[in-house]
Amino acid sequence: MEKIRISIVSFINSMPFKYGLETSDYIIENSIISNDIPSECARKLIHDEADIGLVPVAAIPEIPSAEIISDYCLSSNGNVETVLLLSDVPVDRIERIYLDYHSRTSVKLVKILCRYYWRINPEFIPASENYEKNIQKTVAGLVIGDRAFKIGKQFGYQIDLSNEWIKFKNMPFVFAAWVSNKKIPKKYLIEFNKSIKKGTSEIDNVINSYSSKIISDAHLKSYLTESIRYELDDKKREAINVFLELAAKV
């Protein structure tokens, strides 16, 4: 069997997955693992530069032969902490929004919330590096990932998009899922999911292995056990479908 190419998100929320994969002898022997930002995970699967990826759900329709291959994901049942709309003013006064280039799902989510929940019509600006300095007055910015921990508190309004979605649709939100773009050998999938399950069930070991310099260990534990939810159940699969239907319209 050729080695399976895995693209995994390089953010803190993926630490349990990373730990599980890297402590599995089978996965290490039979895989090539790369650490990427979410949008790059999607690009690699779309262009067949990876076989399995932790993919932003908004990108799933663009992936050839896409199949969700695991009962684990990156999701939230409340505040997720790391997908924020940052602003100096309330939502109804926002005129422009810079869109974080790291993830397609969060970009689609903020557009959905603007149109269908907040009922505002701001100008959307594709962001480039260091766009955060432009967030001021009536100009807001979508910020995702570990950077949200660092800069979120600088702004008067930190709008958690996961929580806003839940208020809007009364269902959890799934940010990313494990997706393949081709048939993966059954033996490999069994070992893959076994390693993912191990990582999500050994959070203390994860923290000891990948201690973060961005937040304290206590905050890290609450983030990985409360803010982020890893199980992909039927209700979350339904939420993915609802999101994708709306995403196709914005």
Side-chain angles (χ1 to χ4, degrees):
M1 182 183 79
E2 290 188 11
K3 289 192 174 185
I4 302 295
R5 301 166 296 172
I6 301 174
S7 175
I8 184 171
V9 174
S10 55
F11 294 159
I12 289 173
N13 55 21
S14 302
M15 282 181 175
F17 296 151
K18 182 179 173 67
Y19 174 82
L21 294 171
E22 292 183 345
T23 55
S24 165
D25 291 340
Y26 180 90
I27 295 297
I28 292 299
E29 290 172 8
N30 293 283
S31 312
I32 300 171
I33 302 174
S34 61
N35 295 282
D36 302 298
I37 61 173
S39 56
E40 181 66 3
C41 290
R43 190 198 67 78
K44 284 186 173 182
L45 257 72
I46 291 169
H47 295 285
D48 197 25
E49 295 175 19
D51 307 305
I52 295 173
L54 186 56
V55 174
V57 295
I60 292 176
E62 301 177 48
I63 297 170
S65 304
E67 181 181 355
I68 295 176
I69 59 166
S70 176
D71 290 330
Y72 295 90
C73 65
L74 293 178
S75 68
S76 180
N77 294 330
N79 286 324
V80 74
E81 297 190 67
T82 47
V83 181
L84 304 177
L85 181 63
L86 301 177
S87 174
D88 287 332
V89 299
V91 165
D92 60 2
R93 291 181 54 199
I94 292 173
E95 296 178 357
R96 306 170 79 193
I97 297 176
Y98 278 92
L99 300 175
D100 195 322
Y101 55 92
H102 283 84
S103 175
R104 303 180 183 202
T105 297
S106 300
V107 167
K108 286 288 190 179
L109 178 56
V110 76
K111 289 182 176 181
I112 288 169
L113 292 171
C114 283
R115 179 182 295 186
Y116 297 108
Y117 185 53
W118 300 326
R119 304 289 181 177
I120 61 173
N121 187 32
E123 176 188 357
F124 295 112
I125 308 168
S128 54
E129 197 168 350
N130 298 319
Y131 69 95
E132 298 91 345
K133 66 179 183 296
N134 297 320
I135 302 173
Q136 53 185 303
K137 298 181 180 178
T138 59
V139 179
L142 170 64
V143 177
I144 76 159
D146 302 347
R147 293 173 304 142
F149 288 124
K150 299 178 183 179
I151 69 172
K153 294 179 181 178
Q154 299 174 19
F155 298 91
Y157 293 86
Q158 305 162 44
I159 303 159
D160 192 299
L161 297 195
S162 173
N163 196 49
E164 293 296 294
W165 166 268
I166 291 164
K167 289 190 289 184
F168 171 42
K169 299 303 292 184
N170 193 31
M171 54 176 41
F173 192 79
V174 180
F175 290 94
W178 285 106
V179 175
S180 69
N181 56 8
K182 57 179 63 68
K183 193 74 174 176
I184 304 296
K186 185 175 180 179
K187 166 68 172 174
Y188 187 92
L189 286 179
I190 291 171
E191 294 298 328
F192 178 86
N193 280 293
K194 188 188 298 183
S195 69
I196 294 296
K197 181 178 181 179
K198 175 187 177 183
T200 59
S201 62
E202 297 183 9
I203 297 299
D204 286 339
N205 290 337
V206 171
I207 293 170
N208 290 335
S209 298
Y210 306 113
S211 185
S212 170
K213 296 179 181 179
I214 298 173
I215 55 177
S216 68
D217 283 356
H219 188 181
L220 179 57
K221 184 169 185 176
S222 69
Y223 175 63
L224 295 178
T225 58
E226 298 172 20
S227 300
I228 300 294
R229 301 291 181 171
Y230 294 104
E231 300 80 10
L232 180 58
D233 56 22
D234 289 342
K235 190 165 186 178
K236 289 177 185 174
R237 290 177 185 271
E238 179 187 358
I240 291 174
N241 291 331
V242 171
F243 169 75
L244 289 177
E245 287 178 9
L246 290 170
K249 301 175 183 178
V250 297

